[in-house]
Amino acid sequence: MIEFAHIEKSFFGVNVLKDVSLAVKPGQTVGLVGENGAGKSTLMNILGGNVRADAGEMRLDGQPYAPDSPRDAERAGIAFIHQELNLFSTLSIAENLFIGGFPRSRSWLPFINRRQMLQRTRSLLAEVNLPHAPDTLIERLSAGERQLVEIAKALALDARLIILDEPTTSLTARETERLFAILARLRARGLSLIYISHSLDHVLRLCDQIVVLRDGAVVANEPAVRFAMDRLVSLMVGREITQLFPPRAARPTKEVVLDVRDVAQPGIVRGIAFQLCRGEVLGLSGLMGAGRSELARILFGLDPCAAGDIRLEGESIRHLPASERIERGLAFLTEDRRAEGLCPEASIADNVTLVALPRLLRSWLGWLDRPRVAAEVRRMREAVKLTPTARDGQPVKTLSGGNQQKVVLAKWLLQEPKVFLLDEPTRGIDVGARYEVYRLIRQLAARGTGVLLISSEVEELLGMCDRILVMRGGAIRDTIEPHEFDRERILRAALHHGGLA
Amino acid sequence: MTSPIASHLGLRVLHQASLLLFAVVLVVFGMLSPAFLQTSNMVNILIQTSSTGILAVGMTFVLLTAGVDLSVGAIMFVAAAVGGKLILGGWAFGGVLAIMLGIGVLFGALNALFITRLAIMAFVVTLATRYFGRGLGLRITETRAMNLPESFYELGAARLLGVPVPVLIFAGVVLLAHLALTRTPFGRQVYAVGTDVEAARKAGINTGAVRFSVYAICGLCAAAAGIVALSQAPAVSPSFGNNREFMAIAAAVLGGTSLFGGRGAVFPGTVLGAVLIQTIENGLNVLNVNPYLYPLITSGVIFVAVLLDAIRSRVLAQANRRRIYTVAQPD
């Protein structure tokens, strides 16, 4: 019923989708698999009307189809159920199903026809096997039940194609079974499904056809019976190495600087234990939602830590606030630099010196030592090779992504951190700036800083790290030493397959 | 981790907080003064509540969209000042009332225009219109108190089927607002916009129109509150309506409406909050408490209201936190 033909898309000069063609037949369930960044989301966003393709076309029942908005897609009978659900928690189930167009009692009265709404909701809820009253508030439902409400919402729109993006990540095993039973029923009724997931066993169980994306291109598109877990994994990996990494200067020491002992926070992470040595670059791999960023936030003191201990140079910092952890030598480059890592309106100089200000005072009175501030800014700009055309007083929001990231790095380098937590430091920056970031990481390690590098790019971890930890479901599943470095092993541990975990 | 059951219990208590407070207030004042619990005094409290109550109903619409309107006291003032001038100039009573209500809507629309079209923060826009309104009102009244003829007073003293007219107007406003919020598409969209504007837009809701309407409704309610206030004390003083916006916000929040949007109700929530605030003031009156203490007690009430909202939001955020793994999931 839907056909993609030669779809192309690039973001900031990076080719995200290359000549993607595939088709979904009526009543068919197509699984879409690929590593983070393989292009799955972009492809589905094009189908769902959130993004427009640069080239190529889509055909719906043979007719050209080019949605401008999610509403267009809905009208065409395509419903997109995102990983982050789009429900209003303070409204009832029924109201959520009909929020876009309530049934009216009489056209001249402004009132909702509650009887009709509740009745239709009841029958929709019966279709998804959800035994709740239609006026139950969404906030009363579990994650799995909310997922079913989303499906009911799609049915309320008379959707013929439903896209499910990682529907099982926050579901319990029983909820997952329930979801699958319902999906099987919908399929029997002739609905088409596109199922995106990293849970390969689910994909193999559920889908008729499986499409594997790698680096924005389709590398396999075959009936599900022709795949086995092993083959899927090897198809997903095998990206070419396009990035160069600066050479390793020194071997890490054996001197532990950060000692994490059985750290746990219910529902978030569990049993996290590892040691980070001076001069070591420790990689942290895992899929999105595995708990990597959450762990970094806990280590840095932004989120609570219910159990275990965190020791920096032998001293427990578990109960210290983030400000004191910074004082003791912890630094954290966050995943979302615009929202969390920078003050976008403030100048380069202000951003670079933000953390270090208390040390740059003239006297006990607390006046800033402005010449020294300026000197430090100059020194840091050179260290990170920030673009020389930018003035110190220029707002950082006017800089390119790569230069913005350099400003964040400069801010923390000025602290001469003992432990540096880096969360996706090269996301969204160009190749040249990437190399600079890698060079700085090496430099830091050579000076004895312990680096924890979180990255979704396995390539980056293999090229930069002395050791790699793999997280899944809030726990560390594998520790990989350099002589065992292997893309497939990382992916297997992250996906939970092959018995190596 | 707090167990889900404990947090559910906590939420139950928080949801009923205003009712519990109300019971405490009634018992305490009742014990301190027998006159307080008499029927005539209770009716009095209701009459005194009506003006602030109507104001708070309008405010609830705005708060539900995660907005705020600091200009309602000033709108009351401008509407009353213009209405007073016209009445003294010999205009017909009914026409004057209509014009006053029109002024309210106009002010609300002005706020809405800046907030929705120019995307300026509601807090800043309505703070500006608040000063604009007060300045305009002072200019119209030439900073003198204006005593109005009988017509307003008659409105306040009149009874229909034994119920005082101000209370009837209040009840009417509450009924309409309650129906609009719970039974019409518009009302449910108000909640949706307050819960998550982005999701609301994705669901095809005209979020601009919804937000525009709530400020217009709030302005209309402010003018109506002005009319009811005049019916009880038919004079427009330079301080008419001053700082009433804060009582309105406090009433709504005490009644369970969240400053963060999406959560709350006119009935029983806001009504209960407004009655609670008025009851405290009335009780202090009956007990002859030093009037200079009122502001302190009012500040205490506002603080409690906002504190309750903050605690409620935190408990809810904790209950809705995203899970990475579930206990049932195998290791």
Side-chain angles (χ1 to χ4, degrees):
Chain A
M1 63 173 286
I2 187 89
E3 240 180 292
F4 297 87
H6 312 292
I7 299 285
E8 303 261 351
K9 178 78 198 172
S10 38
F11 287 119
F12 313 111
V14 180
N15 247 349
V16 199
L17 291 176
K18 300 166 199 155
D19 193 22
V20 171
S21 300
L22 59 100
V24 180
K25 298 190 193 100
Q28 198 183 33
T29 300
V30 173
L32 195 55
V33 300
E35 279 190 283
N36 292 343
K40 298 170 301 203
S41 306
T42 310
L43 187 64
M44 288 306 108
N45 278 327
I46 291 172
L47 179 58
N50 295 308
V51 176
R52 294 212 73 156
D54 294 340
E57 64 164 2
M58 289 183 284
R59 292 180 155 275
L60 187 65
D61 298 327
Q63 300 298 314
Y65 162 73
D68 278 322
S69 70
R71 291 287 281 174
D72 281 355
E74 271 173 19
R75 260 180 237 124
I78 295 171
F80 194 163
I81 300 177
H82 295 264
Q83 199 175 352
E84 302 283 328
L85 302 181
N86 257 327
L87 296 173
F88 301 101
S89 55
T90 58
L91 298 186
S92 72
I93 297 176
E95 287 163 351
N96 267 283
L97 297 190
F98 294 103
I99 191 77
F102 286 103
R104 298 281 194 81
S105 42
R106 288 194 181 76
S107 55
W108 51 273
L109 268 180
F111 296 112
I112 297 168
N113 186 340
R114 285 179 58 83
R115 213 158 48 113
Q116 197 190 332
M117 176 171 84
L118 296 181
Q119 211 164 17
R120 279 177 60 189
T121 305
R122 241 173 256 126
S123 71
L124 286 166
L125 288 183
E127 281 189 58
V128 297
N129 252 345
L130 195 60
H132 281 288
D135 51 10
T136 312
L137 294 185
I138 294 294
E139 60 191 9
R140 283 287 161 83
L141 303 182
S142 73
E145 291 166 335
R146 291 181 200 198
Q147 191 87 51
L148 296 180
V149 173
E150 279 280 11
I151 292 175
K153 201 165 123 190
L155 297 179
L157 292 166
D158 279 326
R160 293 175 301 150
L161 171 66
I162 302 180
I163 308 166
L164 292 137
D165 187 5
E166 289 290 359
T168 57
T169 37
S170 53
L171 303 195
T172 61
R174 189 178 303 161
E175 284 174 325
T176 303
E177 286 308 317
R178 197 164 155 199
L179 175 71
F180 284 4
I182 293 182
L183 292 181
R185 253 176 48 192
L186 296 181
R187 196 160 52 156
R189 280 185 21 194
L191 247 86
S192 306
L193 300 172
I194 295 182
Y195 190 90
I196 306 172
S197 181
H198 286 302
S199 308
L200 298 183
D201 47 346
H202 292 169
V203 175
L204 284 167
R205 224 183 96 188
L206 200 69
C207 301
D208 310 311
Q209 184 88 6
I210 296 177
V211 176
V212 183
L213 278 181
R214 185 171 74 212
D215 284 335
V218 176
V219 293
N221 180 0
E222 294 169 37
V225 288
R226 290 222 225 128
F227 289 99
M229 202 78 77
D230 281 330
R231 189 170 160 232
L232 268 184
V233 175
S234 15
L235 278 168
M236 284 165 69
V237 298
R239 198 192 295 197
E240 307 133 55
I241 300 178
T242 49
Q243 180 69 49
L244 285 173
F245 297 94
R248 223 168 285 246
R251 287 277 131 202
T253 64
K254 288 279 167 225
E255 218 178 305
V256 175
V257 59
L258 183 73
D259 190 358
V260 181
R261 297 183 181 176
D262 294 316
V263 161
Q265 173 70 22
I268 310 292
V269 296
R270 47 187 165 174
I272 300 288
F274 66 86
Q275 293 186 326
L276 176 63
C277 295
R278 281 170 54 84
E280 185 182 29
V281 180
L282 179 59
L284 190 52
S285 180
L287 301 169
M288 263 177 252
R292 297 169 303 169
S293 302
E294 288 79 1
L295 174 61
R297 288 180 61 88
I298 289 171
L299 295 180
F300 195 60
L302 296 175
D303 284 338
C305 169
D309 200 6
I310 306 166
R311 284 164 181 269
L312 185 63
E313 296 191 305
E315 278 179 59
S316 174
I317 55 167
R318 182 187 153 193
H319 296 290
L320 298 181
S323 58
E324 286 206 34
R325 298 190 198 196
I326 293 173
E327 226 161 275
R328 296 194 180 205
L330 213 55
F332 181 26
L333 181 141
T334 56
E335 187 177 13
D336 185 350
R337 69 176 162 267
R338 278 189 199 90
E340 296 179 334
L342 287 168
C343 307
E345 302 288 337
S347 69
I348 294 174
D350 285 344
N351 269 289
V352 168
T353 53
L354 185 64
V355 185
L357 279 184
R359 290 189 290 107
L360 298 173
L361 301 180
R362 190 191 292 270
S363 65
W364 54 271
L365 272 176
W367 296 103
L368 279 178
D369 188 344
R370 298 186 46 153
R372 227 173 93 210
V373 169
E376 291 289 61
V377 171
R378 212 172 313 126
R379 188 165 71 84
M380 281 303 122
R381 286 188 63 151
E382 272 161 33
V384 301
K385 296 198 178 152
L386 194 73
T387 170
T389 54
R391 287 170 296 106
D392 282 353
Q394 193 169 323
V396 290
K397 66 171 182 187
T398 59
L399 298 176
S400 71
N403 278 306
Q404 286 183 1
Q405 194 68 302
K406 286 179 185 174
V407 171
V408 185
L409 280 167
K411 173 175 78 182
W412 290 114
L413 292 182
L414 193 49
Q415 289 299 101
E416 285 161 15
K418 289 169 183 146
V419 170
F420 202 164
L421 315 171
L422 294 149
D423 194 357
E424 303 283 1
T426 58
R427 175 171 293 170
I429 67 179
D430 60 85
V431 179
R434 267 167 185 249
Y435 190 82
E436 278 311 312
V437 172
Y438 295 144
R439 190 184 58 80
L440 286 165
I441 293 175
R442 282 261 190 272
Q443 227 173 52
L444 271 169
R447 284 201 213 125
T449 300
V451 176
L452 185 70
L453 176 62
I454 300 175
S455 176
S456 292
E457 289 185 41
V458 178
E459 222 44 76
E460 183 168 292
L461 293 175
L462 294 175
M464 289 299 298
C465 296
D466 301 307
R467 205 155 46 110
I468 298 174
L469 307 174
V470 187
M471 276 185 88
R472 185 184 72 249
I476 292 176
R477 305 297 177 158
D478 200 2
T479 305
I480 307 175
E481 301 291 335
H483 64 272
E484 316 165 301
F485 273 10
D486 172 29
R487 295 184 57 101
E488 271 198 50
R489 175 160 166 187
I490 293 175
L491 200 61
R492 271 173 210 284
L495 292 166
H496 188 210
H497 294 302
L500 278 163
Chain B
M1 183 173 67
T2 37
S3 78
I5 298 152
S7 70
H8 260 289
L9 206 76
L11 272 179
R12 281 278 164 81
V13 173
L14 283 170
H15 280 317
Q16 304 304 332
S18 54
L19 209 57
L20 292 173
L21 276 176
F22 191 55
V24 169
V25 165
L26 284 185
V27 169
V28 168
F29 284 128
M31 285 199 308
L32 291 174
S33 158
F36 174 78
L37 285 176
Q38 278 169 10
T39 322
S40 62
N41 192 48
M42 289 291 124
V43 172
N44 242 335
I45 290 178
L46 272 185
I47 296 176
Q48 288 164 356
T49 305
S50 19
S51 173
T52 314
I54 293 170
L55 209 57
V57 167
M59 187 65 76
T60 305
F61 278 85
V62 172
L63 293 179
L64 281 174
T65 62
V68 73
D69 188 344
L70 300 179
S71 67
V72 289
I75 297 176
M76 270 175 86
F77 185 33
V78 174
V82 173
K85 275 272 167 189
L86 294 179
I87 274 277
L88 291 175
W91 283 54
F93 188 57
V96 170
L97 292 189
I99 288 175
M100 289 174 75
L101 294 175
I103 289 173
V105 175
L106 210 68
F107 256 86
L110 189 71
N111 280 331
L113 200 72
F114 280 108
I115 293 165
T116 59
R117 290 283 143 181
L118 302 179
I120 310 176
M121 277 168 61
F123 174 78
V124 180
V125 170
T126 59
L127 191 65
T129 38
R130 177 182 188 270
Y131 282 101
F132 171 67
R134 292 226 75 82
L136 191 66
L138 286 177
R139 210 185 146 78
I140 295 169
T141 59
E142 291 152 345
T143 70
R144 281 195 298 266
M146 185 163 37
N147 285 310
L148 302 185
E150 294 287 283
S151 36
F152 273 107
Y153 189 75
E154 279 161 13
L155 181 73
R159 283 173 180 246
L160 211 70
L161 303 169
V163 186
V165 166
V167 177
L168 273 183
I169 297 176
F170 180 33
V173 169
V174 168
L175 181 70
L176 279 180
H178 181 69
L179 284 179
L181 281 177
T182 57
R183 295 297 155 95
T184 66
F186 164 73
R188 303 324 290 167
Q189 290 173 349
V190 167
Y191 283 83
V193 167
T195 307
D196 189 339
V197 193
E198 211 35 62
R201 193 169 296 133
K202 278 188 206 153
I205 295 170
N206 186 345
T207 55
V210 170
R211 292 175 71 217
F212 196 101
S213 310
V214 295
Y215 288 97
I217 290 170
C218 190
L220 178 70
C221 286
I227 292 170
V228 171
L230 281 182
S231 77
Q232 281 152 53
V236 186
S237 68
S239 67
F240 186 87
N242 203 10
N243 292 335
R244 295 298 286 277
E245 51 273 3
F246 297 110
M247 299 315 284
I249 295 172
V253 174
L254 262 180
T257 299
S258 172
L259 292 170
F260 304 100
R263 215 173 273 285
V266 161
F267 188 83
T270 299
V271 173
L272 204 59
V275 172
L276 177 57
I277 286 181
Q278 201 56 51
T279 307
I280 294 171
E281 200 176 312
N282 177 283
L284 296 174
N285 237 322
V286 170
L287 292 176
N288 270 325
V289 174
N290 183 347
Y292 290 113
L293 285 177
Y294 285 17
L296 289 182
I297 292 164
T298 309
S299 70
V301 169
I302 294 180
F303 179 75
V304 168
V306 177
L307 183 71
L308 280 176
D309 186 31
I311 296 174
R312 207 161 26 215
S313 306
R314 209 174 52 202
V315 172
L316 280 169
Q318 232 155 32
N320 290 334
R321 192 178 287 165
R322 201 166 75 96
R323 291 175 302 178
I324 282 179
Y325 69 89
T326 49
V327 184
Q329 212 167 297
D331 275 341

